[in-house]
Amino acid sequence: MPSKTPATAHDFDTDPPLIINDSLTTRPPRFRSVDAISGEVSDLISTMKACVHVGRYVRAATLMRRLNTIYNSDAPALLSAHNEYIRELSWKITSTRDQQLLRDVQSWFEVDMRGQGIVPNALTYALLIQVSLQDVSGSKSNRSLRRYLHLAEEAGLKNAVNNAMTTVLNEQDLGRVTRLGTPEPLPILPKSIARPEHAPLVAPQPMNEVELPKVRPVDSKLPGLKALKQSLSLFSDPMAPTSSIEGADEDNPDKQDLERQLRIEQDSYESSIERWRADNEQLKRIGINSSLKNHAIGALMWDWHEILELAIQKEIELTKEAEGKALKKAEDEDRCHYGPFLQYLPPKKLSAVTIISCVAGFGATRTGDRGTPITHMVMKLANAIQNESMISFYSRRNGRDQSQWKTPDSSGTLEPGAGPKQSLGASKNTARSNLATDVSSQTFDSRQWGRAIKARIGAVLLSKLLESAKIRVSRKHPQTGEVVEEMQPAFLHQYVYNAGRRVGMLTMNSALHERMSNEPLAATLAHQFLPMVVKPKPWAGFRDGGFLTGNESMVRLHQSDEQGRRYCSVAVANDDMAQVATGLDVLSRTPWKINAPVLEVMLEVWNSGEGIGDIAPFGLDMELPQEPTTDDKVERAKYISELKRIGNMKAGLRSQRCYQNFQLEIARAYLNETFYFPHNVDFRGRAYPMSPILSYMGSDVPRGILLFGIGKELGPSGLRWLKIHLANLYGYDKASFEERVLFVEGHLSDISDSATQPLKGSRWWLGAEDPWQCLAACKELHNALQSPDPQRFVSNLAIHQDGTCNGLQHYAALGGDSMGAKQVNLEPGDRPSDIYTGIAELVKQDIHKDAMQDSELAKALEGKVTRKVVKQTVMTNVYGVTFIGAKLQIMKQLKELYPNSFLYTGRINRTVAASYIAKKTFKALANLFNGAHDIQYWLGDCAGRIATAVTPEQMQRIETATTGTLDEQADYRRTPLKRKTDRGHKDVLLSFKQSVIWTSPLKMPVVQPYRQQSSHVIETKLQRITVSNPSLADPVDKRKQLQAFPPNFIHSLDATHMLLSALECEKQGLTFTAVHDSFWTHPGDVDTMNGILRDMFIKMHSEDIIGRLGAEFALRYRGCMYVTNVKAVSKVGKTIRNWRTKANRQLSPKPNKQQLMINELLQERQRLKLLASEKAEERKAGEDMVTAYSLFEESAGEDTLADEEALSDVMLGQTSPARESKLQADEQLAIGGEENIDTMNTFNQQDVPAQEAIDDTTTSTEAMETETVKANNEQTLKPEASSAKTNKRRDEAKVWFWRPLTFPPVPKRV
């Protein structure tokens, strides 16, 4: 990434948006496997890199020669692959100085590249120069250097090679090449390309050492906890040997911190192995067999580990033997595919990762008794192996002189002369225009293994674990009653049938599940993501920042999101995301420490086992319900539901206590430390800490024990804000600021009592909404008031300033809604407005009107709707909650508030009541935010058009393929491939591939990743595994693209505002962090931060955000055509249908729909070309042409277009017509209750959104209650149903046609 100039929160960039035209992307070619060589090109590259890494050079060369037989010699993808091959060998030679390998590389260039007609580019020569510099024979080295420089100059690549060398060589090697006599001096190595050193290290601030009681574990044999303790032991032994840093100085605290940080990141699996060994040795010393039933789980896992390690070692040897066989069986070919990848890690670590991943896979979901699909477990295990392999691999490379190598920041494409800045063929100057090249076969993420490879790796390791892991089981003989012990498999591979499909499941032996169901081993995997004891590395590249040895990217992207990875990597390389990177660095540099007094109280509560605050109790005795004595289905369903509720509650508390156990262990270990949280962003730009267990983005418990690592005096205003903050935490947050101050001053005695004797006093703090944070504020305020001068008191407490329904704030500002702005506090007032109360009042008024009209449902709900009932729905509506999600949210609140009302045995049930309230809530939102309603509709409309569009390049390809000359069609069929791909692996000629892409105000490209993924079956050692095969050639998922765009767009604005505020706070010297729309700083800086927050919000919305988005869409999708619809019953709809029928009568054979769409697309394209011609006769010909769109232009307007059904789900306060009629039917059926339950609770599949911004789920108990009564509802609303359906189908029928992609006028502010 180019060097970042200090980013500020000032003027937004007005450069054109980054545009990478990938619409011509085709599926990566796939061929039949030959001689155990994969037919997937991306797998060939990954396997080649693995072979080089593990020293299997002959196999690597064979794979590369296979590529020579696949691609034509002039194919860019082939050259890119050869460059990757030379790069890998160059890294190997640099580390080993293997002279024979050096000669092999030089021979490869002459024989297998130039000899095969492959023309080198600048990067090829730069890499060869790097190789030649490792020649120990000085004369030979110089001759080789001069030869490559001469060849490059002959090819006209002199300047390009000079630029490429700056991305490959260090300054010393560049100087040596310069001294050979190159005609022009090589450019100085740019600081923007050189990898920066890690962040300046900050020694922990001097602290008084605090000793606290140990944390009472959930279980003395909790394996995940013991492994964590071992990883954290380095904090209690900070002067441990610094062996991994050469020259480490015990007297240098910076180097000690660096050493400890490296150990934190690297020793998670090693600590697990050592702990297992220790448990086993302890049992051996006292003469106990570790496989016995009731002894340490760690010792049992050590037994598994010893056996599994030997099995993996044997499997690796078999993979090596398989390569040498002339005739390979199926299992030999399989071993050739996955063999090299098993050697990235030693068998010892492979065994540990396999055991922990498998057990954690059950622990994370509590599915040991029910099982988890084999496919899920295989891919989870493979991902863990891949991540650990890449961390190990790049950590070793980082250990060498970093200037010896540079990795492109992009996803792996190597273009002529390309460093990171040109990594996808899109330089600063060219990336902003459409790049009409097919880059599919040129681009891959070199750090990601193919899914087929991962399926095979995961399957073989899991199969070895199934063979190795045994457990001793005791059971009574069914006849004699004698206790019999036997060794059984710890894990079982079984098959079940799900929806008629045979599914492989992995289940845990019931005996093992009994011992491990409450032990969350998933936390063991998170040790490498603990908070950092040094400042995180500043983000200097797409994968260069955060943890010292990690492989994480700046932007969190799903592995299948190739398009998002391309855009973000190029944007980072072009310095477009400099402000995002700097904003993340600001958040990452914020120092933290543990609040020792609060942690001491928390540990006392924890060790007592008492459930105080949000601390889960150690044990919970709940009285079980009595089993019904009758066969009444309703009563029995209630009984089963109550049993499940109690079971779920106990399991939830156990899981919560286990997780809190880890949090407290980490907090105790970091007690005397200053630490940091590295950050990255999701695909929308929202920032998250990369430490998942203990962070400020957690619940009340971790927030209560975290303080800023740097303190500041309260100053004149800090004491006031500290009091306001305490009132907010207590729940007194709807009053004016002065009333909140008075509230605290009226409870000073309670606050002092809470601070000095939190558990022995009145426990006033436990009445707060956030009790542990309240306790921390009580102690801070008490200490300040007890100090000689409260204004001089140094406070480390973070004060929160929360936005009022931040998404609605953005919508109100975008739409200019004055009424809505008041409700979300965008306008000043004496006391804060409460949007949730406001909406609740509007809903109550609407219900009262219905009650006055004698609605029995409304009468039943009068007085029942409160702020709490509608709060979650109002909060999430702006982020895309659907009507079904809103209904479930309200059902949950009704159940909690009125458990004995709206039962399914009554006349009005909870489902209908929730649907009715949800509808009223949506209506109130729509009335309050009129401008926002228009903007949401505009956003959804734009997304719907984009998702059904084809680009000019696609149209040209279609035209060439179908109506071009013979030569043009021959050119179209000409590919860079020598071989034919497998059958069924071809691209559809007409496919909608356009994702909704926009640029945030901070120049971050946001790419919606929703596509319809294909899949294929992989034969593995366990079973056939179906894996998805994502590709940019996959069509987009229109419904997801449309529904997700409005909430994702608001999220991107929300993220922009937070990062802008972070940059400005840094500039003004404030300590700052944020949880999306909750902003934190020191008490004395709150006024300054509030001013910054307002200024940045005004700065954002002073820009015409929607207007700029419309302009970007017009530029990004210029020249596209899209499919739209009119109603079939409309005049223009009938006209188009009649014209189409007549036109098709003349065609023979009759075209199918795909061909018909292609024909009309090309007709419309030709008409538009003629109309745009400078020749009058051509314009006249265009005017005479008749197409569907010309008929639409003549007789209709925009108002005749048929609305997208999916648009209804993205609107504030809008429900689809289908759902509207459903609600009306529900209201008719509300009275009478249980016999209508199925009718009221069933929605069409189209009503269920594929993607939502929140989790619209309900508990199994609620689901059971919904299905409690099965009804005889066949007679419901039967009269005239057939004719009504016929009329509905007729009214909803649509007629499609092509038209140029334009966007509706940008909504004006109200």
Side-chain angles (χ1 to χ4, degrees):
M1 178 175 175
S3 60
K4 294 179 291 191
T5 56
T8 63
H10 295 296
D11 298 331
F12 292 120
D13 199 301
T14 57
D15 285 347
L18 174 66
I19 299 175
I20 300 175
N21 182 10
D22 45 25
S23 63
L24 295 184
T25 300
T26 57
R27 296 184 186 280
R30 187 169 75 224
F31 308 90
R32 291 184 180 179
S33 296
V34 176
D35 192 27
I37 297 176
S38 172
E40 297 275 0
V41 171
S42 59
D43 289 354
L44 283 174
I45 302 294
S46 298
T47 307
M48 176 273 293
K49 292 165 73 72
C51 287
V52 172
H53 173 65
V54 302
R56 294 162 78 166
Y57 304 123
V58 174
R59 175 73 172 172
T62 302
L63 296 173
M64 290 304 302
R65 292 189 178 104
R66 164 72 167 168
L67 284 176
N68 282 352
T69 68
I70 290 176
Y71 284 103
N72 294 321
S73 60
D74 59 350
L78 181 60
L79 175 59
S80 179
H82 277 273
N83 285 342
E84 276 288 282
Y85 179 55
I86 296 175
R87 180 188 290 275
E88 291 298 311
L89 291 171
S90 173
W91 274 328
K92 199 72 174 179
I93 293 168
T94 301
S95 63
T96 63
R97 293 300 177 97
D98 187 329
Q99 298 301 292
Q100 181 57 50
L101 189 57
L102 185 151
R103 303 282 177 257
D104 291 341
V105 172
Q106 293 175 336
S107 174
W108 180 271
F109 170 69
E110 300 295 344
V111 177
D112 292 274
M113 284 192 67
R114 297 186 72 203
Q116 298 296 321
I118 302 171
V119 179
N121 63 11
L123 183 58
T124 312
Y125 288 117
L127 292 170
L128 289 168
I129 288 170
Q130 183 186 36
V131 170
S132 299
L133 286 167
Q134 310 307 314
D135 198 329
V136 296
S137 173
S139 59
K140 289 183 179 179
S141 176
N142 289 339
R143 283 199 303 271
S144 298
L145 291 173
R146 290 192 177 94
R147 170 172 167 72
Y148 296 137
L149 290 171
H150 175 71
L151 290 174
E153 186 169 2
E154 279 189 339
L157 297 174
K158 180 181 67 174
N159 292 332
V161 170
N162 289 344
N163 290 330
M165 282 192 291
T166 63
T167 70
V168 174
L169 307 181
N170 60 22
E171 294 186 12
Q172 179 181 355
D173 288 340
L174 279 172
R176 179 180 169 187
V177 175
T178 302
R179 289 192 296 273
L180 284 176
T182 45
E184 296 181 8
L186 293 173
I188 298 175
L189 181 66
K191 293 181 181 179
S192 61
I193 299 299
R195 285 180 174 265
E197 296 296 328
H198 58 76
L201 301 178
V202 177
Q205 293 183 344
M207 298 182 185
N208 296 324
E209 295 288 330
V210 179
E211 286 292 334
L212 292 180
K214 293 184 178 180
V215 182
R216 172 183 174 180
V218 176
D219 188 322
S220 61
K221 293 302 179 182
L222 183 63
L225 180 60
K226 294 185 68 178
L228 176 63
K229 287 182 177 180
Q230 181 155 339
S231 289
L232 297 176
S233 63
L234 61 95
F235 290 105
S236 60
D237 185 18
M239 301 300 291
T242 54
S243 57
S244 63
I245 295 293
E246 192 172 334
D249 185 355
E250 293 185 354
D251 296 327
N252 188 329
D254 286 354
K255 288 189 177 180
Q256 290 180 30
D257 288 342
L258 177 60
E259 164 65 9
R260 289 191 303 151
Q261 181 59 39
L262 290 170
R263 289 177 59 190
I264 290 172
E265 294 183 22
Q266 295 175 347
D267 75 344
S268 61
Y269 291 108
E270 287 80 356
S271 66
S272 296
I273 296 172
E274 290 304 316
R275 186 259 306 162
W276 297 342
R277 180 187 290 113
D279 282 353
N280 184 66
E281 290 176 351
Q282 181 181 3
L283 291 180
K284 284 184 177 179
R285 283 196 298 270
I286 58 179
I288 297 177
N289 186 340
S290 61
S291 63
L292 291 180
K293 178 181 178 183
N294 293 318
H295 290 289
I297 287 289
L300 179 62
M301 288 189 176
W302 174 254
D303 285 345
W304 298 353
H305 171 65
E306 285 189 310
I307 299 171
L308 182 58
E309 182 182 358
L310 292 176
I312 292 173
Q313 182 61 56
K314 182 178 180 180
E315 182 64 28
I316 291 174
E317 294 301 322
L318 291 174
T319 63
K320 295 177 181 178
E321 294 177 7
E323 286 186 14
K325 293 182 178 179
L327 295 177
K328 296 181 176 64
K329 299 179 180 178
E331 61 181 9
D332 295 325
E333 292 190 356
D334 205 29
R335 287 189 170 110
C336 290
H337 288 309
Y338 62 73
F341 297 92
L342 291 182
Q343 297 179 60
Y344 267 108
L345 299 174
K348 173 183 175 182
K349 180 170 282 191
L350 281 175
S351 173
V353 175
T354 301
I355 293 171
I356 292 173
S357 296
C358 184
V359 176
F362 287 114
T365 56
R366 305 282 179 230
T367 57
D369 53 343
R370 300 187 302 274
T372 187
I374 282 284
T375 299
H376 294 174
M377 187 64 75
V378 163
M379 299 308 289
K380 176 181 175 64
L381 172 57
N383 284 327
I385 297 294
Q386 174 191 258
N387 292 338
E388 192 65 22
S389 297
M390 292 298 99
I391 289 173
S392 174
F393 178 53
Y394 285 101
S395 294
R396 285 196 293 272
R397 287 189 173 174
N398 282 337
R400 301 198 300 272
D401 181 5
Q402 292 182 350
S403 61
Q404 292 288 333
W405 58 273
K406 314 282 190 303
T407 301
D409 286 320
S410 73
S411 55
T413 298
L414 305 173
E415 292 292 340
K421 198 167 183 177
Q422 294 176 299
S423 54
L424 288 176
S427 68
K428 185 75 172 179
N429 296 324
T430 63
R432 316 218 173 267
S433 60
N434 284 350
L435 305 174
T437 56
D438 178 7
V439 294
S440 64
S441 59
Q442 305 170 29
T443 307
F444 58 91
D445 190 337
S446 59
R447 304 190 187 203
Q448 295 290 337
W449 300 343
R451 291 176 179 245
I453 291 174
K454 291 200 288 189
R456 291 187 171 98
I457 293 171
V460 69
L461 291 174
L462 186 56
S463 68
K464 297 302 177 185
L465 177 63
L466 294 178
E467 296 170 3
S468 305
K470 308 290 183 183
I471 185 171
R472 186 174 295 276
V473 177
S474 300
R475 59 181 59 193
K476 289 184 178 180
H477 193 281
Q479 296 178 347
T480 64
E482 181 185 359
V483 176
V484 179
E485 291 188 350
E486 63 178 355
M487 297 300 291
Q488 294 183 356
F491 305 97
L492 305 172
H493 179 198
Q494 300 174 332
Y495 288 93
V496 298
Y497 283 90
N498 183 12
R501 298 178 59 190
R502 188 168 180 256
V503 180
M505 301 291 290
L506 185 70
T507 57
M508 185 181 288
N509 189 300
S510 58
L512 180 61
H513 178 252
E514 183 180 349
R515 297 174 62 181
M516 302 188 65
S517 61
N518 294 321
E519 300 185 4
L521 286 183
T524 305
L525 300 181
H527 298 174
Q528 56 193 315
F529 300 116
L530 290 169
M532 298 181 67
V533 294
V534 298
K535 287 186 178 180
K537 285 198 304 183
W539 284 104
F542 186 64
R543 290 188 183 272
D544 188 2
F547 290 106
L548 302 183
T549 62
N551 188 41
E552 294 73 38
S553 59
M554 183 191 299
V555 184
R556 301 182 179 193
L557 298 168
H558 193 274
Q559 184 181 346
S560 63
D561 188 9
E562 181 183 346
Q563 188 176 34
R565 190 172 293 107
R566 291 185 183 188
Y567 266 92
C568 290
S569 60
V570 173
V572 171
N574 285 343
D575 211 19
D576 287 349
M577 291 177 60
Q579 287 195 92
V580 173
T582 308
L584 289 174
D585 294 341
V586 169
L587 299 175
S588 300
R589 286 195 297 267
T590 299
W592 296 87
K593 69 176 184 178
I594 297 298
N595 190 332
V598 175
L599 178 60
E600 184 175 12
V601 177
M602 199 175 288
L603 289 176
E604 185 177 348
V605 171
W606 175 268
N607 291 336
S608 72
E610 187 178 358
I612 292 180
D614 288 335
I615 297 293
F618 191 77
L620 183 65
D621 294 328
M622 298 184 67
E623 183 178 353
L624 297 178
Q626 292 186 351
E627 185 174 358
T629 56
T630 67
D631 293 332
D632 183 87
K633 292 183 178 180
V634 174
E635 291 299 321
R636 182 156 293 277
K638 287 182 179 180
Y639 168 72
I640 295 174
S641 174
E642 182 65 12
L643 282 180
K644 288 194 173 184
R645 185 188 68 82
I646 294 174
N648 289 338
M649 182 176 293
K650 287 185 175 180
L653 288 173
R654 173 69 185 193
S655 177
Q656 181 182 351
R657 188 167 175 88
C658 289
Y659 191 71
Q660 289 174 346
N661 197 345
F662 284 98
Q663 290 178 320
L664 294 178
E665 283 289 356
I666 295 171
R668 190 173 181 277
Y670 279 79
L671 183 60
N672 298 307
E673 302 287 340
T674 298
F675 52 91
Y676 307 85
F677 298 115
H679 287 70
N680 59 3
V681 296
D682 66 10
F683 76 96
R684 301 162 299 189
R686 303 194 96 188
Y688 295 88
M690 297 161 65
S691 304
I693 299 179
L694 179 69
S695 79
Y696 63 88
M697 200 174 283
S699 64
D700 180 50
V701 171
R703 289 186 182 189
I705 54 178
L706 288 175
L707 294 171
F708 283 139
I710 298 174
K712 280 191 177 183
E713 293 183 355
L714 288 177
S717 64
L719 185 63
R720 174 175 176 267
W721 278 113
L722 183 55
K723 293 176 180 179
I724 293 172
H725 178 63
L726 201 160
N728 292 339
L729 293 172
Y730 204 82
Y732 192 74
D733 56 348
K734 301 301 178 290
S736 67
F737 288 145
E738 294 308 317
E739 289 171 338
R740 288 181 239 186
V741 171
L742 292 175
F743 169 81
V744 170
E745 291 177 348
H747 289 85
L748 287 178
S749 60
D750 294 322
I751 292 169
S752 177
D753 178 73
S754 297
T756 55
Q757 45 183 1
L759 298 179
K760 297 179 180 179
S762 63
R763 296 189 176 187
W764 175 82
W765 60 279
L766 285 177
E769 286 188 358
D770 298 301
W772 291 107
Q773 293 176 81
C774 179
L775 178 60
C778 287
K779 288 181 174 291
E780 197 81 351
L781 180 60
H782 173 76
N783 293 337
L785 295 176
Q786 294 299 310
S787 66
D789 183 0
Q791 291 191 19
R792 301 295 303 274
F793 177 76
V794 177
S795 174
N796 292 74
L797 192 69
I799 303 298
H800 313 168
Q801 296 291 282
D802 296 345
T804 305
C805 203
N806 201 245
L808 285 174
Q809 286 183 330
H810 284 292
Y811 267 126
L814 291 171
D817 290 303
S818 57
M819 289 181 57
K822 291 179 182 178
Q823 291 292 332
V824 292
N825 295 308
L826 289 184
E827 293 190 2
D830 295 334
R831 62 181 62 248
S833 297
D834 181 21
I835 180 63
Y836 311 116
T837 300
I839 294 296
E841 289 300 320
L842 291 176
V843 171
K844 287 193 285 187
Q845 293 173 18
D846 210 2
I847 290 175
H848 179 69
K849 290 180 182 179
D850 289 352
M852 296 298 293
Q853 296 178 7
D854 207 28
S855 167
E856 188 169 351
L857 180 57
K859 288 179 180 179
L861 287 170
E862 273 204 293
K864 297 289 197 299
V865 176
T866 64
R867 177 183 185 273
K868 186 176 181 181
V869 170
V870 302
K871 179 179 178 180
Q872 189 178 11
T873 300
V874 174
M875 184 187 306
T876 56
N877 184 275
V878 68
Y879 293 124
V881 67
T882 63
F883 185 84
I884 293 177
K887 183 190 70 174
L888 293 175
Q889 292 168 351
I890 293 173
M891 282 177 62
K892 181 179 179 181
Q893 297 302 327
L894 290 176
K895 180 182 177 182
E896 291 181 1
L897 295 173
Y898 312 108
N900 298 319
S901 301
F902 310 114
L903 301 178
Y904 291 107
T905 55
R907 290 177 58 79
I908 300 177
N909 64 59
R910 195 173 292 138
T911 301
V912 173
S915 298
Y916 178 77
I917 297 173
K919 177 184 176 182
K920 298 296 184 183
T921 304
F922 278 28
K923 179 182 176 182
L925 279 166
N927 291 335
L928 204 57
F929 293 89
N930 291 325
H933 184 279
D934 294 340
I935 289 172
Q936 275 194 319
Y937 188 91
W938 183 84
L939 293 172
D941 193 3
C942 290
R945 298 185 183 200
I946 292 168
T948 54
V950 293
T951 65
E953 292 76 23
Q954 285 180 283
M955 288 185 277
Q956 182 60 53
R957 173 183 283 184
I958 292 171
E959 184 174 347
T960 300
T962 56
T963 64
T965 65
L966 292 178
D967 289 340
E968 288 174 340
Q969 293 194 32
D971 288 339
Y972 164 74
R973 288 190 294 270
R974 187 175 295 115
T975 71
L977 305 174
K978 296 178 180 178
R979 295 174 177 266
K980 291 184 178 181
T981 59
D982 275 358
R983 292 181 179 179
H985 195 69
K986 297 188 181 296
D987 290 279
V988 178
L989 192 58
L990 176 60
S991 181
F992 301 121
K993 303 178 183 179
Q994 294 302 296
S995 296
V996 180
I997 303 172
W998 69 98
T999 307
S1000 78
L1002 292 181
K1003 294 190 67 178
M1004 175 179 173
V1006 183
V1007 182
Q1008 294 202 145
Y1010 317 116
R1011 292 181 179 272
Q1012 301 174 17
Q1013 295 183 6
S1014 58
S1015 61
H1016 63 281
V1017 177
I1018 304 296
E1019 295 281 355
T1020 69
K1021 286 183 174 293
L1022 283 172
Q1023 64 175 53
R1024 291 181 176 180
I1025 292 179
T1026 302
V1027 297
S1028 60
N1029 188 27
S1031 168
L1032 274 176
D1034 293 331
V1036 297
D1037 188 315
K1038 178 182 176 181
R1039 188 178 186 88
K1040 290 183 181 180
Q1041 291 281 343
L1042 189 156
Q1043 292 182 346
F1045 179 38
N1048 284 340
F1049 179 70
I1050 294 299
H1051 277 308
S1052 71
L1053 295 183
D1054 197 23
T1056 296
H1057 176 241
M1058 190 276 287
L1059 290 175
L1060 283 173
S1061 301
L1063 293 171
E1064 189 62 26
C1065 285
E1066 168 89 348
K1067 181 181 178 183
Q1068 298 192 27
L1070 275 64
T1071 301
F1072 176 88
T1073 196
V1075 182
H1076 303 320
D1077 59 352
S1078 177
F1079 310 96
W1080 300 11
T1081 193
H1082 287 99
D1085 291 333
V1086 171
D1087 286 328
T1088 304
M1089 183 185 73
N1090 283 343
I1092 291 172
L1093 296 176
R1094 287 191 294 269
D1095 291 344
M1096 293 302 102
F1097 191 88
I1098 293 170
K1099 172 182 172 60
M1100 272 184 59
H1101 288 285
S1102 295
E1103 299 278 336
D1104 186 4
I1105 294 176
I1106 299 298
R1108 289 184 59 174
L1109 178 63
E1112 178 181 344
F1113 280 170
L1115 177 61
R1116 185 178 297 280
Y1117 302 105
R1118 181 171 52 193
C1120 292
M1121 301 266 284
Y1122 80 106
V1123 175
T1124 189
N1125 301 280
V1126 292
K1127 290 185 177 180
V1129 296
S1130 65
K1131 180 179 178 181
V1132 67
K1134 294 177 181 178
T1135 302
I1136 293 175
R1137 290 182 67 176
N1138 293 335
W1139 166 81
R1140 186 170 289 155
T1141 301
K1142 293 178 182 178
N1144 289 340
R1145 285 175 184 167
Q1146 304 173 11
L1147 300 178
S1148 181
K1150 299 297 183 184
N1152 57 29
K1153 183 175 180 180
Q1154 174 87 355
Q1155 188 58 52
L1156 182 61
M1157 294 188 75
I1158 289 175
N1159 293 343
E1160 293 194 18
L1161 172 64
L1162 297 181
Q1163 289 173 10
E1164 187 56 47
R1165 184 169 189 255
Q1166 177 64 20
R1167 187 179 78 92
L1168 295 176
K1169 279 185 177 181
L1170 293 173
L1171 291 175
S1173 174
E1174 297 180 355
K1175 298 179 180 180
E1177 61 274 15
E1178 291 185 353
R1179 291 198 300 273
K1180 180 64 168 60
E1183 293 169 357
D1184 293 339
M1185 286 185 66
V1186 178
T1187 64
Y1189 181 48
S1190 71
L1191 295 173
F1192 172 81
E1193 287 183 305
E1194 291 173 4
S1195 59
E1198 296 292 322
D1199 57 339
T1200 62
L1201 293 175
D1203 289 337
E1204 292 287 348
E1205 175 70 16
L1207 274 174
S1208 303
D1209 286 326
V1210 304
M1211 303 300 297
L1212 274 172
Q1214 181 103 0
T1215 55
S1216 67
R1219 187 170 292 125
E1220 191 70 32
S1221 61
K1222 179 67 182 173
L1223 290 173
Q1224 294 173 3
D1226 282 356
E1227 293 180 26
Q1228 295 174 19
L1229 296 169
I1231 309 304
E1234 62 186 61
E1235 71 274 10
N1236 297 317
I1237 187 68
D1238 284 350
T1239 303
M1240 290 181 288
N1241 200 43
T1242 303
F1243 285 89
N1244 293 330
Q1245 183 63 35
Q1246 65 179 1
D1247 290 334
V1248 182
Q1251 176 73 22
E1252 293 191 6
I1254 66 161
D1255 183 13
D1256 289 336
T1257 59
T1258 185
T1259 64
S1260 59
T1261 303
E1262 292 166 351
M1264 171 166 281
E1265 288 185 1
T1266 302
E1267 298 296 332
T1268 297
V1269 183
K1270 294 301 178 182
N1272 297 319
N1273 58 1
E1274 289 79 2
Q1275 302 303 317
T1276 304
L1277 295 183
K1278 282 289 186 178
E1280 301 182 0
S1282 179
S1283 60
K1285 289 182 179 179
T1286 302
N1287 293 334
K1288 182 179 179 181
R1289 284 196 297 267
R1290 182 193 63 199
D1291 293 340
E1292 293 180 353
K1294 299 175 183 178
V1295 176
W1296 61 268
F1297 64 94
W1298 291 98
R1299 67 179 301 196
L1301 177 55
T1302 57
F1303 296 97
V1306 174
K1308 297 186 180 297
R1309 291 185 176 180
V1310 177

